[in-house]
């Protein structure tokens, strides 16, 4: 209940106006008239004139209101319009029999609609509306590693490994050189010997620094190249996915790939691989030094490596799967957040902020559930690696004591000091190995989207630049289904449209009107049959070659962030004079002239800084500029007011007089001057004839639709 609250209704539907207390008429950004409904009629201004032009749309206004308009408007033409509207209304609601008839028709239509929808609901597996995001199991395949390594490139990968090995080798040799220096008695007394040791030690340090720097730079460049390649492949693949993919995949999953997974490949994976290489050569260096110092130590290396291997595999399998679960549970966070931002006005209007906040927190919490097992797995690994490290220290010390008579004190110290490092180095190596395998999952997830089915080729063969010259369109037993496993929405349409002919397409919701548009542009590929335009089967050409030769003014006007000129002429194929001419014909020239930046006026995302009507007129200007021989209007004026509708219809009739026009209509008066009207029902052609012939036969579906709309009495 909204008792006691102010209600503000912004509308272009004039049928609601008699029921409001105060009306503000806005024209060119200013309030031109205001007052009650009756007061505005008495003023005989723009509002009253507007009603005389569109009185037939007052379907929901009772007869008393119509009579008030009639009494208020003394103009003879206005009186005739009102009388005609009242006559239509009286014929539509003739006594109780008319009322019963309307109810009976309504019930029949409801039953027909239910029958039409029932098989779809029965055959549709609701679980497939949104495909479940799959999480891979088991080890990451070697094919993923191979693709990543090949993307890095041999020149970067090989030489970074070589320089890492040189860095570690120089480090080991410098330690052994220092040991020899400390055991050489001449180095104490002979300055030349001391300087020799010092020079070599310094040179080895320099080699370490240079090798470390070159190896790091080469690996960074290689990983950057691989990241760019992975991102470009993902973007290119996403741009060519069929629409069925986007129908069944929440936007959050796609954003997850482009944000978190790309970030891992860009920033985290290169650092992880670099650390893994350093730790790998450090562990090898520890065993080399201990093996050289006390060769008997090498006897226990195989058992230690076996223990280490099993500990590592157990940990990696756990952490890798936890990483996959974390990635999968992150997608719903992005989806819900995007939905909340997009619907914030509705959420606020219904006071549901708290519910959406709690839902967002729940999804974040659910995503963070995998964090606790990750911490436990790290502690489990830490304890066992400490045990292995302790065993290495124990055996290194034990064998050094046993061999104290054959090796020097400095060598024993070197062996034990390296053994003391093994615990930290080994632990870090296992963690880095796990990090590499868990983060390589990002490559796996990016690759997953690059091998999915794609839409048809962008360009295929050659198409004459003048095609289509006539605009003749033929449907031959044409069929469409949106996805495999779903019922046909177009069940076999055969129709021939002459070049330059104007066809109005009508039908109840779900009859298949918009599906024809999807088929013409091959947004959805045919399940059977053909569409032939000027003798060419559209399935035999590339998508760009087809779509660039057709023009559509959609129901929802699509604008992009950028300048107004870019939205009218995206590919800069036309001069400014041609653009201004298109704007003039679409009744936007005065508006654009009044903008400080003119054609360079910045358009916000989705055209939010323009009204819906202005957006639709921009789309009209775009169509006028291209002016192809085939024009499709997909309920192009459904979201605009009646005056804008009149402007659009007038321009289309004049500027596209020699073009083939297929108009999907929601207002029947917009197609009454069409050459033919195509009535669809349940995906089939129910009727196809001139509007006059269809209206002359009271048994036709089109006649009943026109009668319900008040067009005929």
């Amino acid at each position: 209940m909204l008792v006691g609250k102010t209600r503000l209704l912004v509308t272009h539907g004039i049928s609601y106006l008699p029921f409001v207390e105060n009306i503000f008429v806005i024209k060119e950004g200013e309030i031109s008239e205001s007052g009650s409904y009756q007061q505005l009629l008495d003023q005989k201004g723009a509002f009253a004139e507007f009603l005389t032009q569109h009185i037939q749309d007052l379907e929901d206004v009772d007869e008393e209101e119509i009579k008030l308009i009639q009494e208020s408007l003394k103009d003879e033409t206005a009186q005739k319009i009102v009388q005609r509207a009242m006559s239509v209304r009286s014929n539509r609601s003739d006594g109780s029999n008319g009322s019963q008839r309307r109810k009976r028709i309504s019930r029949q239509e409801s039953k027909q609609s239910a029958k039409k929808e029932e098989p779809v609901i029965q055959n549709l597996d609701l679980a497939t509306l949104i495909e479940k995001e799959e999480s891979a199991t088991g080890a990451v395949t070697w094919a993923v590693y191979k693709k990543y390594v090949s993307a890095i490139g041999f020149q970067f990968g090989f030489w970074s490994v070589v320089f890492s090995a040189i860095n570690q080798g120089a480090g080991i040799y410098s330690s052994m050189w220092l040991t020899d220096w400390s055991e050489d008695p001449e180095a104490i007394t002979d300055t030349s010997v001391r300087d020799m040791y010092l020079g070599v030690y310094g040179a080895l340090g320099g080699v370490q620094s240079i090798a470390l720097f070159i190896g790091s730079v080469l690996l960074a460049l290689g990983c950057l190249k691989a990241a760019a390649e992975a991102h470009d492949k993902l973007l290119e693949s996403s741009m060519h996915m069929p629409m069925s993919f986007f129908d069944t995949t929440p936007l959050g999953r796609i954003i997850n790939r482009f944000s978190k997974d790309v970030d891992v490949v860009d920033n985290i994976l290169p650092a992880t691989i670099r650390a893994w290489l350093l730790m790998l050569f450090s562990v090898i260096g520890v065993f080399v030094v201990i093996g050289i110092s006390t060769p008997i130590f090498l006897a226990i290396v195989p058992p230690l490596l076996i223990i280490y291997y099993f500990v590592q595999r157990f940990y990696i399998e756990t952490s890798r799967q936890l990483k996959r679960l974390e990635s999968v549970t992150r997608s719903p966070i992005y989806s819900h957040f995007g939905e909340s931002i997009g619907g914030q006005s509705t959420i606020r209007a219904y006071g549901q902020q708290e519910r959406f906040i709690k839902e967002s927190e729940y999804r974040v919490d659910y995503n963070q559930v995998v964090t606790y097992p990750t911490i436990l797995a790290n502690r489990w690994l830490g304890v066992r690696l400490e045990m292995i490290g302790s065993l290495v220290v124990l055996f290194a010390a034990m064998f050094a004591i046993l061999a104290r008579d054959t090796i020097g004190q400095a060598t024993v110290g070197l062996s034990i000091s390296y053994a003391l490092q093994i615990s930290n180095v080994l632990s870090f190596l296992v963690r880095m190995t796990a990090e590499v395998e868990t983060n390589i999952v990002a490559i796996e997830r990016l690759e997953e989207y690059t091998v999915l089915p794609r839409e048809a080729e962008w360009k295929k063969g050659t198409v004459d630049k003048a095609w289509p010259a006539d605009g003749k369109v033929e449907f031959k037993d044409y069929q469409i289904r949106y996805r495999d496993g779903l019922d046909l929405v177009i069940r076999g349409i055969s129709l021939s449209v002459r070049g330059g002919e104007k066809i109005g397409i009508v039908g109840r919701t779900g009859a298949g009107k918009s599906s024809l548009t999807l088929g013409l542009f091959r947004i959805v590929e045919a399940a059977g049959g053909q569409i032939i335009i000027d003798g060419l089967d559209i399935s035999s050409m590339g998508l760009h070659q087809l779509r660039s030769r057709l023009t559509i003014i959609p129901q929802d006007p699509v604008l992009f962030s950028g300048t107004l000129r870019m939205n009218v002429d995206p590919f800069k194929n036309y001069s400014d004079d041609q653009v201004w001419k298109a704007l003039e014909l679409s009744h936007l020239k005065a508006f654009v002239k009044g903008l400080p930046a003119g054609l360079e006026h910045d358009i916000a995302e989705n055209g939010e800084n323009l009204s819906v009507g202005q957006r639709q007129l921009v789309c009209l200007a775009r169509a006028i500029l291209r002016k192809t021989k085939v024009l499709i209007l997909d309920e192009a004026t459904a979201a605009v007011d009646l005056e804008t509708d009149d402007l659009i219809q007038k321009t289309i009739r004049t500027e596209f007089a020699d073009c083939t026009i297929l108009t999907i209509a929601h207002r029947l008066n917009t197609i009454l001057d069409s050459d033919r009207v195509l009535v669809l029902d349940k995906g089939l052609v129910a009727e196809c004839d001139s509007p006059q012939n269809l209206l002359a036969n009271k048994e036709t579906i089109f006649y009943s639709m026109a009668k319900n709309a008040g067009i005929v009495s």
Side-chain angles (χ1 to χ4, degrees):
M1 295 293 289
L2 294 174
V3 177
K5 294 185 178 180
T6 301
R7 282 147 287 179
L8 181 65
L9 174 65
V10 180
T11 180
H12 55 68
I14 58 179
S15 59
Y16 307 107
L17 300 182
F19 306 102
V20 302
E21 297 174 357
N22 206 3
I23 299 172
F24 293 91
V25 182
I26 298 179
K27 187 174 183 180
E28 296 180 356
E30 297 181 350
I31 296 176
S32 61
E33 295 177 274
S34 66
S36 67
Y37 186 71
Q38 185 57 48
Q39 288 171 344
L40 291 178
L41 289 177
D42 293 339
Q43 291 176 14
K44 301 178 185 177
F47 179 77
E49 182 183 350
F50 178 77
L51 285 182
T52 64
Q53 296 175 1
H54 302 287
I55 193 69
Q56 65 268 26
D57 290 285
L58 289 172
E59 298 179 20
D60 298 328
V61 183
D62 58 30
E63 292 186 13
E64 292 183 3
E65 296 293 343
I66 295 290
K67 289 178 181 178
L68 285 175
I69 299 173
Q70 186 182 26
E71 292 171 1
S72 302
L73 301 175
K74 303 303 181 183
D75 179 75
E76 184 178 349
T77 304
Q79 288 278 356
K80 290 180 180 179
I81 294 174
V82 175
Q83 287 286 3
R84 186 169 67 251
M86 289 184 64
S87 174
V88 170
R89 185 179 300 277
S90 64
N91 286 322
R92 287 166 54 197
S93 55
D94 185 17
S96 59
N97 290 335
S99 176
Q100 292 173 2
R101 184 168 62 253
R102 285 199 312 274
K103 292 179 180 178
R104 185 169 63 253
I105 291 172
S106 178
R107 285 196 299 270
Q108 290 173 352
E109 289 178 353
S110 298
K111 288 179 181 179
Q112 290 174 357
S113 177
K115 288 179 181 178
K116 179 176 67 177
E117 297 294 336
E118 185 178 0
V120 177
I121 294 174
Q122 287 177 347
N123 295 332
L124 180 60
D125 183 3
L126 296 179
T128 63
L129 291 178
I130 296 180
E131 297 289 349
K132 181 181 178 182
E133 185 171 14
E134 298 293 337
S135 174
T137 57
V140 177
T141 61
W142 282 107
V144 176
Y145 288 100
K146 183 179 178 181
K147 285 183 179 179
Y148 186 61
V149 171
S150 63
I152 290 175
F154 176 81
Q155 67 274 26
F156 291 118
F158 175 76
W159 289 109
S160 63
V161 171
V162 168
F163 279 101
S164 295
I166 292 173
N167 166 57
Q168 190 59 42
I172 293 173
Y173 192 71
S174 66
S175 297
M176 299 184 71
W177 182 260
L178 194 61
T179 301
D180 293 340
W181 184 4
S182 64
E183 292 182 339
D184 189 349
E186 293 185 14
I188 300 174
T189 57
D190 192 337
T191 56
S192 61
V193 174
R194 182 196 63 189
D195 292 342
M196 183 268 295
Y197 278 112
L198 189 60
V200 173
Y201 187 75
L204 290 171
V207 170
Q208 273 188 277
S209 301
I210 294 172
L212 182 63
F213 174 76
I214 295 176
S216 299
V217 169
L218 289 174
L219 187 62
L221 291 174
C223 290
L224 180 63
K225 172 178 171 289
E229 184 177 316
H231 174 269
D232 291 347
K233 286 174 63 179
L234 175 66
L235 181 61
E236 191 269 341
S237 180
S238 298
M239 290 294 100
H240 292 89
M241 296 281 193
M243 285 305 299
S244 59
F245 169 79
F246 297 99
D247 292 338
T248 57
T249 305
L251 186 59
R253 292 185 195 170
I254 302 172
I255 293 175
N256 194 5
R257 257 75 172 185
F258 277 99
S259 55
K260 181 61 178 178
D261 291 321
V262 169
D263 176 63
V264 168
V265 178
D266 277 344
N267 301 315
I268 299 175
L269 198 53
T272 304
I273 292 175
R274 182 65 196 146
W276 179 80
L277 275 175
L278 289 175
M279 290 305 106
L280 175 65
F281 284 110
S282 295
V283 170
I284 293 173
V286 168
F287 285 112
V288 168
V289 169
I290 297 176
I292 293 174
S293 304
T294 52
I296 193 174
F297 174 81
L298 297 176
I300 66 149
V301 169
L304 289 175
L305 290 179
I306 292 173
I307 298 172
Y308 159 77
Y309 173 78
F310 283 109
V311 169
Q312 173 188 261
R313 293 315 307 166
F314 194 85
Y315 170 74
I316 288 177
E317 288 176 6
T318 304
S319 62
R320 179 183 60 232
Q321 206 59 31
L322 287 172
K323 183 70 173 181
R324 284 170 172 158
L325 290 173
E326 194 270 337
S327 296
V328 168
T329 56
R330 193 188 312 112
S331 297
I333 298 174
Y334 292 127
S335 295
H336 184 265
F337 184 76
E339 292 164 2
S340 300
I341 295 299
Q344 57 179 315
S345 57
T346 305
I347 294 170
R348 290 176 179 175
Y350 285 92
Q352 296 296 311
Q353 297 97 317
E354 191 64 30
R355 179 165 72 88
F356 276 79
I357 290 171
K358 287 183 178 179
E359 176 67 19
S360 180
E361 290 175 347
Y362 167 76
R363 296 186 183 215
V364 172
D365 290 344
Y366 188 70
N367 173 252
Q368 292 298 308
V369 163
V370 297
T371 302
Y372 185 65
T374 301
I375 295 172
L376 291 180
N378 280 326
R379 287 300 86 224
W380 180 92
L381 175 68
V383 171
R384 281 147 186 82
L385 290 181
E386 289 289 341
M387 291 174 59
I388 297 175
S390 299
L391 288 174
V392 172
V393 174
L394 172 65
F395 286 113
M398 184 186 303
F399 292 137
I401 293 172
L402 293 175
R404 61 183 180 276
D405 295 333
T406 58
I407 60 175
Q409 296 176 353
T411 304
V412 171
L414 176 64
S415 176
I416 294 176
S417 66
Y418 263 79
L420 290 171
Q421 297 176 25
I422 193 62
S423 180
N424 290 332
V425 173
L426 196 61
S427 175
F428 208 73
L429 175 62
V430 174
R431 293 183 194 281
M432 288 301 101
T433 304
E435 283 293 308
V436 168
E437 188 154 353
T438 54
N439 286 313
I440 207 73
V441 168
I443 293 289
E444 181 184 59
R445 285 167 57 81
L446 297 184
E447 285 291 330
E448 178 189 349
Y449 272 28
T450 61
V451 295
L452 293 176
R454 299 190 179 194
E455 61 180 2
E457 295 177 62
W458 199 235
K459 290 186 178 180
K460 184 179 179 182
T462 57
V463 178
D464 191 336
K465 290 184 178 181
W467 181 90
D470 300 323
K472 182 181 179 182
V473 181
E474 294 181 80
F475 296 88
K476 293 186 176 180
D477 194 25
Y478 190 68
Q479 301 174 348
I480 280 181
R481 61 165 50 89
Y482 286 116
R483 296 197 308 276
D484 291 339
L486 297 185
D487 292 337
L488 291 171
V489 289
I490 299 294
R491 296 163 53 194
I493 288 180
S494 295
L495 176 71
S496 180
V497 180
R498 298 183 299 274
E501 192 174 13
K502 311 299 184 286
I503 301 291
I505 304 173
V506 297
R508 295 186 176 88
T509 300
K513 305 185 297 296
S514 295
S515 299
L516 277 183
T517 304
L518 299 179
L520 277 166
F521 284 89
R522 289 177 62 193
I523 303 296
V524 178
E525 294 289 354
Q530 297 173 300
I531 296 180
I532 297 175
I533 300 178
D534 276 8
L536 288 181
D537 186 344
I538 64 171
S539 64
S540 65
M541 62 186 70
L543 294 180
H544 177 68
Q545 294 162 315
L546 168 66
R547 294 169 183 172
S548 62
R549 311 298 177 88
L550 306 178
T551 301
I552 183 171
I553 303 178
Q555 178 178 354
D556 298 319
V558 178
L559 299 185
F560 300 94
S561 299
T563 65
L564 179 64
R565 194 196 193 289
M566 184 274 289
N567 276 277
V568 177
D569 179 20
F571 302 106
K572 299 181 180 180
N573 294 329
Y574 304 93
S575 66
D576 282 358
D577 290 340
Q578 291 173 304
V579 173
W580 278 113
K581 181 64 176 177
L583 291 173
E584 180 181 1
L585 293 171
S586 60
H587 309 280
L588 275 176
K589 185 175 181 179
F591 167 72
V592 178
K593 284 274 189 185
L595 297 172
L599 291 177
E600 299 305 312
H601 175 70
D602 286 328
I603 302 296
E605 185 177 359
N606 297 323
E608 293 296 333
N609 56 343
L610 298 179
S611 69
V612 177
Q614 288 171 329
R615 282 180 247 166
Q616 198 66 276
L617 292 177
V618 171
C619 290
L620 175 62
R622 189 188 300 157
I624 291 172
L625 199 60
R626 299 180 70 225
K627 198 175 183 180
T628 58
K629 292 297 292 185
V630 179
L631 172 67
I632 298 98
L633 306 177
D634 186 1
E635 300 191 6
T637 58
V640 300
D641 61 88
L642 298 171
E643 286 185 313
T644 306
D645 188 359
D646 285 347
L647 292 175
I648 293 175
Q649 296 300 334
K650 180 181 178 182
T651 301
I652 289 171
R653 290 186 185 100
T654 55
E655 293 303 312
F656 294 92
D658 60 340
C659 299
T660 303
I661 302 179
L662 305 179
T663 305
I664 298 173
H666 72 290
R667 291 173 180 161
L668 296 186
N669 60 306
T670 62
I671 60 165
L672 290 180
D673 60 347
S674 299
D675 297 321
R676 283 189 291 167
V677 171
L678 173 67
V679 182
L680 296 179
D681 186 33
K682 301 177 184 178
L684 295 170
V685 176
E687 298 164 358
C688 186
D689 205 341
S690 68
Q692 295 77 16
N693 291 342
L694 291 176
L695 291 175
N697 184 356
K698 296 184 179 181
E699 302 299 321
T700 62
I701 298 174
F702 184 69
Y703 178 86
S704 66
M705 296 173 70
K707 186 176 180 181
N708 289 336
I711 294 175
V712 296
S713 59

